[in-house]
C-alpha cells in the first residue's frame, strides 16, 4: 500500500505544471496550498496532507501567525522521506511593519526561523502600505487612541532595495509583491535592479482582475491568485453573501465534466496561466483541489465563468483606504 501511495503521489506531483519566474530560472508550481486563515493545530496536518498527495508549493506569510505550524508540516514530510526540501516551493511575505531598510531582513529571518528553513523560494512585499514599525512586539496593526491604524511614510521603492539584497544574500531565490496595482508595479519595474517576478492578488470569478493580470503577464511578472474560491470562510462574510460554489451555471459546468465547482474554478485560473493557491485544512478537499489535470474547460465555459465578474472584492482592507499607497483606489 505504501509503495502504491508513493507512486500516486509522484504521478500527481509530476502532473502539476510550473511557470519559470523571470530570467533566473526558478520554477513555481502553478497549484499550491494557501494557509491564510488556517488555524494553529490544523495547518501542520494540512501541509503534511498536501505534500503527501502531490503538492509542492506552500504559500505562507508572517502575518498569518501560523508559520511555525506550516514549518512543522514541511519538516514531517521531509523527515519521512515523502519529499526533499529542494522539491518544495515555499513563499512567505514581508509584513507592513517591517518596510524600512533595517527591518526587512529582521522580518525575513523571523519567518525563516518560524518555518525552520534556510531559504525561501519566493518572498513578497505583502502590501505596498507601510505601518508604524513595532511589529516584533506583536502589534501588527499599530493604532492610535481613537483606533486608527498608524502609518509610516516609507516608500516601497526603499523596501525593495532590501528585498534585492535578501536575494543576493541567498536567503530567498526570487522576490515579488502582493496587492500592488498597475501604477505601483510599473513604478517599481522602472527602477528595480532585480525586477519583481510575481504579483499575488485576489482573483476569482466575482473579481476576474483581467486587466491587471494581462498587464503583469505583459511585463514578465507572473500572477498568483489568492482567495480563488472567493474566501467563503472570511471572518466578515455575511450569510446572505453569494457563494461561487453554489452558482447554478458553475455547478452545471462541473456536472458536465464530473467535477466539483471548486475544481472548475481552480481549473479556470490555471487555463489563464495564473498560479492558484486554494486554502483548505480538510484532507479530502486538499486532494480534490489538486485533481484537476484530467479535463479542460472549453471557450464557452471560460466565458461563462468570466461573466460572473462584478468587481466583487472581498479582501479590500478598507480600514486603511486613506493610506497614501492604498492600492485599490485605482481601476486596477
Amino acid at each position: 500500500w505504501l509503495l502504491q501511495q508513493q507512486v500516486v503521489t509522484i504521478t500527481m506531483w509530476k502532473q502539476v505544471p510550473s511557470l519559470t519566474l523571470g530570467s533566473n530560472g526558478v520554477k513555481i508550481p502553478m497549484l499550491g496550498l494557501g494557509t491564510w486563515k488556517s488555524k494553529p493545530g490544523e495547518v501542520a496536518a494540512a501541509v503534511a496532507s498536501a505534500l503527501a498527495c502531490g503538492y509542492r508549493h506552500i504559500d505562507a506569510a508572517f502575518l498569518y501567525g501560523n508559520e511555525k505550524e506550516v514549518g512543522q508540516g514541511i519538516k514531517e514530510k521531509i523527515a519521512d522521506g515523502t519529499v526533499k526540501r529542494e522539491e518544495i516551493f515555499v513563499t512567505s511575505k514581508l509584513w507592513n511593519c517591517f518596510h524600512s531598510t533595517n527591518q526587512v531582513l529582521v522580518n525575513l529571518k523571523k519567518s525563516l526561523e518560524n518555518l525552520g528553513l534556510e531559504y525561501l523560494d519566493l518572498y513578497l512585499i505583502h502590501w505596498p502600505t507601510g505601518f508604524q514599525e513595532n511589529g516584533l512586539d506583536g502589534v501588527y496593526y499599530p493604532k492610535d487612541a481613537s483606533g486608527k491604524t498608524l502609518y509610516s511614510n516609507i516608500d516601497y521603492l526603499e523596501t525593495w532595495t532590501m528585498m534585492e539584497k535578501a536575494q543576493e544574500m541567498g536567503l530567498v531565490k526570487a522576490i515579488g509583491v502582493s496587492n500592488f496595482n498597475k501604477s505601483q508595479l510599473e513604478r517599481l519595474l522602472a527602477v528595480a535592479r532585480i525586477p519583481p517576478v510575481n504579483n499575488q492578488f485576489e482573483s476569482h470569478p466575482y473579481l476576474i482582475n483581467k486587466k491587471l493580470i494581462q498587464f503583469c503577464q505583459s511585463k514578465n511578472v507572473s500572477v498568483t491568485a489568492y482567495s480563488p474560491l472567493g474566501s467563503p470562510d472570511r471572518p466578515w462574510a455575511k450569510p446572505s453573501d453569494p457563494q461561487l460554489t453554489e452558482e447554478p451555471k458553475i455547478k452545471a459546468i462541473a456536472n458536465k465534466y464530473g467535477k466539483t465547482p471548486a475544481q472548475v474554478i481552480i481549473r479556470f485560473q490555471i487555463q489563464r496561466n495564473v498560479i492558484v493557491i486554494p486554502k483548505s485544512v480538510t484532507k479530502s478537499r486538499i486532494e480534490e483541489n489538486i485533481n484537476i489535470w484530467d479535463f479542460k474547460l472549453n471557450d464557452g465555459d471560460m466565458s461563462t465563468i468570466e461573466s460572473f465578474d462584478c468587481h466583487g472584492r472581498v479582501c479590500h482592507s478598507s480600514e486603511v483606504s486613506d493610506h497614501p499607497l492604498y492600492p485599490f483606489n485605482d481601476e486596477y
Side-chain angles (χ1 to χ4, degrees), residues 136-149:
L136 284 183
D137 295 329
V139 182
Y140 306 135
Y141 278 91
K143 298 180 184 297
D144 64 16
S146 68
K148 186 181 185 312
T149 303

Side-chain angles (χ1 to χ4, degrees), residues 111-128:
S111 283
L112 289 171
E113 178 188 332
N114 288 340
L115 291 162
L117 300 176
E118 294 183 357
Y119 68 91
L120 292 172
D121 297 274
L122 179 63
Y123 197 45
L124 308 176
I125 299 179
H126 205 152
W127 291 84

Side-chain angles (χ1 to χ4, degrees), residues 57-247:
H57 175 183
I58 307 296
D59 183 85
F62 178 80
L63 183 72
Y64 300 166
N66 59 10
E67 283 183 318
K68 288 185 179 180
E69 289 79 10
V70 170
Q72 288 169 8
I74 292 171
K75 182 179 180 181
E76 175 187 329
K77 301 320 285 182
I78 290 175
D80 71 10
T82 297
V83 66
K84 299 175 182 176
R85 167 63 185 100
E86 58 269 24
E87 295 170 346
I88 311 172
F89 191 100
V90 183
T91 300
S92 194
K93 307 175 191 80
L94 175 79
W95 182 238
N96 301 357
C97 298
F98 303 92
H99 277 201
S100 65
T101 53
N102 63 347
Q103 289 295 305
V104 171
L105 293 181
V106 171
N107 195 210
L108 169 57
K109 288 177 179 178
K110 187 63 180 176
S111 283
L112 289 171
E113 178 188 332
N114 288 340
L115 291 162
L117 300 176
E118 294 183 357
Y119 68 91
L120 292 172
D121 297 274
L122 179 63
Y123 197 45
L124 308 176
I125 299 179
H126 205 152
W127 291 84
T129 48
F131 293 169
Q132 188 180 82
E133 298 197 337
N134 52 358
L136 284 183
D137 295 329
V139 182
Y140 306 135
Y141 278 91
K143 298 180 184 297
D144 64 16
S146 68
K148 186 181 185 312
T149 303
L150 296 169
Y151 306 147
S152 74
N153 59 1
I154 298 167
D155 192 318
Y156 57 80
L157 297 185
E158 176 184 334
T159 309
W160 190 254
T161 62
M162 292 306 294
M163 299 286 284
E164 293 171 325
K165 182 173 181 180
Q167 180 171 326
E168 290 167 343
M169 291 172 66
L171 297 173
V172 300
K173 289 193 172 183
I175 49 178
V177 297
S178 179
N179 298 300
F180 274 49
N181 64 32
K182 173 184 179 289
S183 297
Q184 291 167 336
L185 184 57
E186 211 163 28
R187 183 168 173 257
L188 177 55
L189 286 166
V191 300
R193 286 190 302 107
I194 302 175
V197 296
N198 183 260
N199 190 6
Q200 182 179 130
F201 51 83
E202 182 181 345
S203 178
H204 46 75
Y206 292 145
L207 182 70
I208 296 295
N209 242 326
K210 190 171 187 175
K211 288 183 178 180
L212 184 54
I213 289 171
Q214 289 177 337
F215 173 76
C216 290
Q217 292 175 341
S218 75
K219 299 296 183 181
N220 202 27
V221 177
S222 64
V223 172
T224 300
Y226 71 67
S227 297
L229 304 177
S231 193
D233 60 344
R234 62 192 183 278
W236 53 90
K238 300 177 184 140
S240 59
D241 287 346
Q243 301 285 327
L244 278 166
T245 54
E246 295 300 320
E247 291 286 356

